[in-house]
Amino acid sequence: MSLSLTELTLSHFRSHKLGRIALDARPVAIYGPNGAGKTNILEAVSLFSPGRGFRRSSAEDMTRRPEALGWKLTGVLRAQGGVHEIETWSENGGARQVRIDGKAASQIALGRVARVLWLIPSMDRLWIEGADGRRRFLDRMTLSFLPEHAEMSLAYEKAMRERNRLLKDQVRDAHWYAALEAQMAEAGHNIHQNRVQALALLSDAQRQAETAFPVADLELVQTEGVMPDTQADLREALAESRFRDLAAGRTLVGPHRADLLGVYAAKSVPARDCSTGEQKALLVSLILANARALAGRIGAPPLLLLDEVSAHLDADRRAALYDEICALGAQAWMTGTGPELFQELGGRAQKIEVTESGGTSQIALTRA
């Protein structure tokens, strides 16, 4: 059984007062004018995975205003392990809650049930902006392979926040740091190893497939210095860096200082120096490689969210993308301003038209 979302209900979410969609496992082509609420549907699907969704918005910002105090999403997910009903919601701007098959669950548990990848317009500048975005991109791919990566990341961030608080308060007693650095070393080493494993899986998936999209050679580097090889080495490096960190008021060594470098392999050109179209093609290539690697690892491709995917892709590349999605058997949710952008899909996809009336999004599903 492929991974697919066959029912989706949005209640007071963004521009959708109430929206219901019933689907099959085929790709989903969503079209309509700008501002109608197409991206809001994709954002809703992104919340069926751990985290704050692809916009990284607060729960309060997702609430339809002014009449609602919260929002709720409900979906039926068909996966290899069976059929799951997933609910996630927020009340009064509070942290979002999750239920899986009627039982309260953590967001991390979502990562074991649903695998979701996305490519959105803000990522088009991934290669030319700061390292933070590239780390998030890498960690999202890593999380798709290794759901436990989320727990490691949370543990590392919590310990680092506490250590940074000591640094800002100019605490110099080594005993205050030792336990926190031990936690950071354990989680940080695992984070680094997970990332290395994910990059190896991506590299294999790119090299083994014949595709219309360029191969991206990826390298994990540190913005300063090198990442210690072992857990013990990382713990020692943290201890040795205390005086330097005290001066900076923050931790300067560890996986949070990593960066992801990309190279257009066929041209040996750094991704940051490629054209806008080439950068987009490299990103598409990586998302598809991630999906292929996941299909080989867990037996099914992930849900793919491709917002305005046709931007910077010519007709041939667009057709090639659709062919690859269908060959994978992935349920890809794609948006565009008009149905002509999806004509190469023909009956291989189901179509949704989204319109806006009186500030409320309207959803109409037409099966091909």
Side-chain angles (χ1 to χ4, degrees), residues 74 78 93 97 111 121 138 153 161 166 181 185 194 206 218 225 227 250 262 266 294 298 304 318 322 335:
T74 303
R78 295 184 179 274
Q97 302 176 62
L138 174 57
S153 298
R161 282 197 304 270
L166 295 177
E181 289 169 357
N194 289 349
Q206 286 191 98
L218 301 176
M227 179 68 187
R250 65 185 190 280
L294 262 178
I298 66 172
L304 297 177
R318 196 164 61 234
Y322 298 157
T335 63

Side-chain angles (χ1 to χ4, degrees), residues 79-268:
Q80 285 186 310
V83 179
H84 302 283
E85 182 174 344
I86 299 174
E87 302 166 90
T88 183
W89 71 94
S90 170
E91 298 175 349
N92 297 315
R96 76 178 178 106
Q97 302 176 62
V98 176
R99 268 200 301 258
I100 300 176
D101 297 328
K103 298 179 180 179
S106 67
Q107 288 189 36
I108 292 173
L110 284 174
R112 299 188 177 95
V113 176
R115 311 293 175 101
V116 187
L117 302 177
W118 53 74
L119 182 59
I120 59 177
S122 63
M123 293 165 62
D124 290 350
R125 298 180 59 83
L126 183 80
W127 303 112
I128 58 177
E129 292 190 338
D132 285 355
R134 289 187 289 277
R135 277 195 300 273
R136 284 196 298 271
F137 179 70
L138 174 57
D139 283 334
R140 171 58 53 177
M141 292 190 291
T142 304
L143 179 65
S144 73
F145 295 119
L146 303 163
E148 65 271 17
H149 187 69
E151 295 173 279
M152 295 297 173
S153 298
L154 288 173
Y156 183 83
E157 291 292 335
K158 182 175 184 289
M160 185 172 68
R161 282 197 304 270
E162 295 180 14
R163 185 178 188 270
N164 285 347
R165 191 176 300 116
L166 295 177
L167 294 169
K168 289 177 181 178
D169 291 342
Q170 293 293 296
V171 174
R172 296 178 180 273
D173 189 338
H175 291 93
W176 287 92
Y177 291 93
L180 292 174
E181 289 169 357
Q183 294 171 27
M184 290 177 66
E186 180 180 3
H189 176 69
N190 286 328
I191 288 169
H192 179 70
Q193 293 301 311
N194 289 349
R195 289 170 173 171
V196 169
Q197 183 178 347
L199 288 180
L201 291 169
L202 287 168
S203 178
D204 288 345
Q206 286 191 98
R207 300 290 178 182
Q208 292 173 5
E210 292 186 10
T211 173
F213 294 91
V215 170
D217 286 337
L218 301 176
E219 182 182 4
L220 185 62
V221 300
Q222 293 296 109
T223 55
E224 181 181 340
V226 297
M227 179 68 187
D229 291 330
T230 68
Q231 179 177 328
D233 288 342
L234 178 54
R235 184 172 182 176
E236 183 179 348
L238 286 165
E240 291 178 350
S241 186
R242 284 177 201 157
F243 288 112
R244 188 171 63 119
D245 293 353
L246 278 164
R250 65 185 190 280
T251 302
L252 297 175
V253 62
H256 66 288
R257 304 283 288 177
D259 196 1
L260 180 66
L261 301 184
V263 174
Y264 191 126
K267 297 184 176 182
S268 297

Side-chain angles (χ1 to χ4, degrees), residues 286-351:
L286 288 172
I287 293 296
L288 291 173
N290 193 167
R292 286 194 299 270
L294 262 178
R297 187 177 177 88
I298 66 172
L303 297 175
L304 297 177
L305 309 180
L306 306 174
D307 193 23
E308 300 293 345
V309 70
S310 59
H312 308 304
L313 293 181
D314 58 30
D316 289 341
R317 276 251 170 90
R318 196 164 61 234
L321 171 62
Y322 298 157
D323 287 345
E324 291 208 34
I325 287 170
C326 293
L328 263 171
Q331 190 188 56
W333 295 62
M334 300 169 283
T335 63
T337 52
E340 70 280 359
L341 295 171
F342 305 106
Q343 65 181 5
E344 295 91 347
L345 277 164
R348 296 180 296 174
Q350 50 211 315
K351 313 293 196 308

Side-chain angles (χ1 to χ4, degrees), residues 346-364:
R348 296 180 296 174
Q350 50 211 315
K351 313 293 196 308
I352 294 175
E353 183 178 11
V354 182
T355 56
E356 187 271 337
S357 177
T360 299
S361 295
Q362 309 291 327
I363 299 171

